[in-house]
Amino acid sequence: MSRIAFIFPGQGSQYVGMGRQLHEASPVARELFARADEVLGSPLSRICFEGPEEELVKTGNTQPGIFTVSAIIQTLLRERGIVPVAAAGHSLGEYAALYCAGALSFEDALLLVVERGRAMNEASEARRGAMSAVIGLSPEQVGAACAGAVSAGIVQVANINSPEQVVITGEDVAVKAAGEAAAVAGAKRVIPLPVHGAFHSPLMGSAADRLKRYLVNVKITPPDIAFVNNADARILEDPEEIRDSLARQMTSCVRWVESVERLISSGIIAMVEAGPGKVLMGLGRRIAKDIPVLPCETPEEIVKTADRLAGAKD
């Protein structure tokens, strides 16, 4: 069996037009977009294809849109005989990974994504926060900068995206103080992100509680393939552990470097970014240069990637 992992992007990978070529070329894509429109009771497909940008970037559209495109791509790959042995997703991408692993149905995952977005919006309105990307320091150095800024308020590492790209999150003043400390420590750049919420921080505590209550009634089954979670970079099999992990992810760090390293340690020979954009491809090259991360965003890329992987064996 080919040892391929599917990896799924998170919020920030969206763009107007995503999924349109797939919809035009594939009955599967048309079916899944139609199911998403029906489940949501809104024209998600039109918003993905036509925008406008200010409508697409709303969390209630962005998150289900990215999930739906990711679900379509992994389905089309399977149709071509590319079956993964493992899956992981970056933040929001965990829901596409769980769908890929057979732990969630399409409808349940879609509704979970919508509930997650609502919970995040509600928490952000109640407690405004900030996030910044720190480029050029190790996660340990960024963690030290955050530790030195806690007197200013809540601040912590939100995402470890690559060995030298780390996102910090928390209260605005504390995030600014940690960013300044990171600059003094030698960061190449500190880039404030265009968000109004402190995602993956304790300020998302109310969102985590709300999602945890919702998850109680969601059917989750043991994954058919290895599922690597964000909060711990562990392979989870038990549905209750998965529920707990999804709730904890709201307030904890996205350990993407460790998650990719966990996939690699399981013996995979390639990863496929099964979603819009190529963010994870770029990060993958910085994490593990010897493991290819292949794009699968358009019908042409799906065919090319499937052909390339068709001969990959243990």
Side-chain angles (χ1 to χ4, degrees), residues 74-91:
Q74 65 100 358
T75 303
L76 293 174
L77 284 165
R78 287 176 183 272
E79 281 192 340
R80 290 187 166 272
I82 306 304
V83 180
V85 298
H90 189 286
S91 191

Side-chain angles (χ1 to χ4, degrees), residues 5-63:
F6 287 179
I7 55 177
F8 299 92
Q11 192 161 343
S13 293
Q14 74 279 350
Y15 61 89
V16 173
M18 67 177 183
R20 186 169 195 162
Q21 292 183 54
L22 299 172
H23 186 271
E24 292 172 350
S26 165
V28 167
R30 291 192 287 274
E31 177 194 348
L32 287 179
F33 265 120
R35 284 167 64 185
D37 288 349
E38 182 178 359
V39 169
L40 300 177
S42 64
L44 178 69
S45 56
R46 179 181 59 75
I47 295 168
C48 288
F49 304 159
E50 302 174 12
E53 177 78 17
E54 56 267 25
E55 192 68 18
L56 179 61
V57 297
K58 293 179 180 177
T59 302
N61 295 322
T62 297
Q63 295 200 12

Side-chain angles (χ1 to χ4, degrees), residues 21-23 25-26 76 80 297-304:
Q21 292 183 54
L22 299 172
H23 186 271
S26 165
L76 293 174
R80 290 187 166 272
E297 189 175 1
T298 66
E300 294 76 18
E301 286 178 340
I302 289 172
V303 171
K304 184 176 180 180

Side-chain angles (χ1 to χ4, degrees), residues 41-285:
S42 64
L44 178 69
S45 56
R46 179 181 59 75
I47 295 168
C48 288
F49 304 159
E50 302 174 12
E53 177 78 17
E54 56 267 25
E55 192 68 18
L56 179 61
V57 297
K58 293 179 180 177
T59 302
N61 295 322
T62 297
Q63 295 200 12
I66 291 173
F67 167 78
T68 300
V69 173
S70 297
I72 288 167
I73 291 171
Q74 65 100 358
T75 303
L76 293 174
L77 284 165
R78 287 176 183 272
E79 281 192 340
R80 290 187 166 272
I82 306 304
V83 180
V85 298
H90 189 286
S91 191
L92 166 69
E94 279 201 328
Y95 294 83
L98 285 166
Y99 171 63
C100 175
L104 284 171
S105 71
F106 178 79
E107 286 78 7
D108 282 344
L110 188 63
L111 290 172
L112 256 174
V113 165
V114 172
E115 181 65 17
R116 178 181 185 267
R118 288 172 179 163
M120 291 168 65
N121 274 342
E122 185 179 276
S124 298
E125 291 299 326
R127 297 186 70 183
R128 293 273 172 164
M131 301 178 76
S132 290
V134 179
I135 311 298
L137 293 182
S138 69
E140 292 76 19
Q141 289 173 304
V142 178
C146 290
V150 293
S151 60
I154 295 171
V155 60
Q156 68 180 42
V157 172
N159 302 15
I160 303 174
N161 289 333
S162 78
E164 290 194 337
Q165 185 188 123
V166 179
V167 175
I168 59 177
T169 180
E171 294 176 305
D172 183 68
V173 174
V175 169
K176 184 176 181 181
E180 290 171 350
V184 170
K188 295 176 182 176
R189 296 179 70 191
V190 178
I191 307 166
L193 301 181
V195 299
H196 63 268
F199 307 132
H200 302 294
S201 85
L203 274 67
M204 288 289 115
S206 62
D209 291 342
R210 174 172 168 170
L211 189 65
K212 192 171 186 177
R213 291 192 298 270
Y214 187 88
L215 281 162
V216 170
N217 297 313
V218 176
K219 182 179 180 181
I220 300 178
T221 58
D224 299 328
I225 60 176
F227 164 70
V228 178
N229 77 329
N230 284 174
D232 314 293
R234 291 172 50 220
I235 294 175
L236 301 184
E237 299 177 351
D238 179 72
E240 289 308 314
E241 286 193 336
I242 292 171
R243 284 189 177 88
D244 175 68
S245 173
L246 290 174
R248 284 191 295 116
Q249 188 225 64
M250 304 288 278
T251 57
S252 63
C253 175
V254 174
R255 301 183 178 279
W256 188 245
V257 171
E258 294 171 64
S259 297
V260 171
E261 290 172 345
R262 177 71 67 180
L263 290 172
I264 293 169
S265 70
S266 72
I268 65 158
I269 60 172
M271 293 180 284
V272 175
E273 182 167 5
K278 294 178 173 60
V279 171
L280 300 185
M281 278 186 63
L283 297 180
R285 289 169 182 153

